[in-house]
């Protein structure tokens, strides 16, 4: 049964991210847009949920490092880059798209936080209609 006080939104409404790589290891940062979102991120964006989310990449290990003073976390996923830059035949051998993929992870948000989410009224929102010179 669904909870009417919780709403499912993609992670990018609460955070932004960036990916790096070293060999066959991907390093994905997740940084909360606002401190008010930090506890939700820690609770829901866990090693287990990230491992499930990237199960199709078959990570051999997923580790999470919390940086609470920055309201950020860093995930290290081993074995997800098809051997790394020099070995992989895929189009994204550096795994740069993996942070964008993670930002689609669903998050359950209480109704009282909905108004604070990054979205069309927020200048950080990348999809503003009519934006441009």
């Amino acid at each position: 049964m669904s909870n009417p006080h919780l709403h499912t939104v993609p992670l990018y409404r609460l955070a932004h991210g960036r990916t790096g790589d070293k060999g066959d290891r991907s390093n994905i940062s997740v940084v909360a847009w606002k401190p008010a979102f930090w506890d939700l991120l820690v609770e829901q964006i866990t090693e287990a949920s990230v491992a499930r989310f990237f199960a199709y990449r078959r990570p051999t290990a997923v580790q999470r490092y919390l940086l609470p003073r920055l309201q950020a976390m860093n995930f290290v996923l081993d074995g997800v880059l098809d051997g790394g830059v020099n070995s992989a035949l895929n189009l994204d051998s550096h795994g740069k798209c993996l942070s964008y993929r993670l930002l689609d992870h669903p998050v359950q948000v209480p109704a009282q936080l909905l108004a604070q989410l990054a979205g069309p009224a927020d200048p950080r929102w990348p999809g503003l209609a009519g934006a441009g010179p």
Side-chain angles (χ1 to χ4, degrees):
M1 179 179 253
S2 65
N3 183 337
H5 302 290
L6 291 177
H7 300 271
T8 302
V9 300
L11 177 57
Y12 65 80
R13 300 284 307 272
L14 292 102
H16 58 96
R18 185 168 167 96
T19 306
D21 68 287
K22 194 56 110 181
D24 198 19
R25 176 178 282 170
S26 184
N27 174 345
I28 306 173
S29 65
V30 174
V31 184
W33 286 121
K34 296 181 179 183
F37 303 151
W38 175 243
D39 289 336
L40 282 176
L41 298 179
V42 171
E43 177 185 313
Q44 297 182 47
I45 310 301
T46 64
E47 290 173 346
S49 76
V50 170
R52 282 190 306 273
F53 201 71
F54 285 107
Y56 71 98
R57 302 289 311 206
R58 296 177 307 281
T60 57
V62 175
Q63 294 176 298
R64 179 178 76 165
Y65 300 92
L66 299 177
L67 304 156
R69 291 174 125 186
L70 300 174
Q71 288 87 48
M73 56 182 73
N74 188 51
F75 288 92
V76 177
L77 288 75
D78 290 330
V80 295
L81 296 178
D82 298 331
V85 174
N86 295 326
S87 301
L89 298 176
N90 64 48
L91 294 175
D92 185 20
S93 59
H94 288 279
K96 294 299 184 183
C97 70
L98 296 181
S99 64
Y100 289 103
R101 174 76 180 110
L102 183 57
L103 289 174
D104 205 32
H105 190 295
V107 180
Q108 296 288 310
V109 178
Q112 65 267 24
L113 283 181
L114 285 178
Q116 295 184 47
L117 298 180
D122 191 314
R124 296 174 300 211
W125 185 254
L128 286 175

